[in-house]
Amino acid sequence: MSRNAALSAFVESAPPGELADVTKAIKNILGDESIHSELAPAFAKYNEEQFSLVKLPGSNTDVIVSAYNSLGDGRYYDTENNTSFAYDHGSLDGAASDVRSYTLESNHEDLVRKSLVKSLRSHGTEHYPKYNIGVYPTSDDSQIALLTVASKYSPANYWNGRWRSSYLYTPSSSTLTGTIAVDVHYYEDGNVRLQTKKQVSAKVSGGSAAEVVRAVAQAEKAYQEDLNKAFGALSEGAFKSLRRQLPITRQKIEWEKISAYRLGQDVGGGRR
């Protein structure tokens, strides 16, 4: 594997909220502070796949950066604000600049801007404490992409997590396909990471924005319930079996006498 491919793999596998830490580690290993330009393509891929957020100058609203709203050459557009902007992938700050007016040209403009955005935002407000959405026609205008990203970072407690869902709605056939991805990293005194994906496929009855988002809500609710059941089974099964229920003596420890135990002898069954 080439140096560039290896470094790109590190960047693209960075856990949520930890891209700066991974980049800092790469700098320390290589002793090179000017590596950003070499990593810019990997940063771009990471930002688009992870639905990175950016605030436009003069705005307090975050806008998603993704392949679905890319105009090429580092420019992206936002359907809600009718703007396009440049995004610097070579900077970890992810600053936006050169904001311009942008007119969406799509046969589905009314469905996107007036209906789907409103319905998807209502869904996000109801189910996520903090979230961002994006609704964009595909380049050939045959489908509409619906994106949701919800991140929660708690580095002081050594965990970060991100929920991403992306769907493609085809108006001509009233079908919805997509992917739900969950990525959680816990790294206090260890390194545990959950990465899971679920493919979604549904037929939308009626074809209205409300019905499209209802199908999204049903898919996400079912997946959350499946995750809860899986974690319950793990805690009562596989995780529980990893811990010894009794010490090697087969007797419970008398915790009030713990300070008097000689670890290698009394708890371990005596000197061998």
Side-chain angles (χ1 to χ4, degrees), residues 179-195:
T179 303
I180 303 172
V182 178
D183 190 347
V184 180
H185 185 214
Y186 180 78
Y187 51 99
E188 182 178 18
D189 296 330
N191 190 28
V192 180
R193 187 173 182 183
L194 166 72
Q195 289 180 290

Side-chain angles (χ1 to χ4, degrees), residues 19 27 60 78 90 109 113 121 186 203 235 253:
L19 180 60
K27 289 180 180 179
N60 292 322
D78 178 41
E109 180 181 358
R113 299 186 62 240
R121 190 165 294 286
Y186 180 78
K203 182 72 175 179
S235 64
I253 293 175

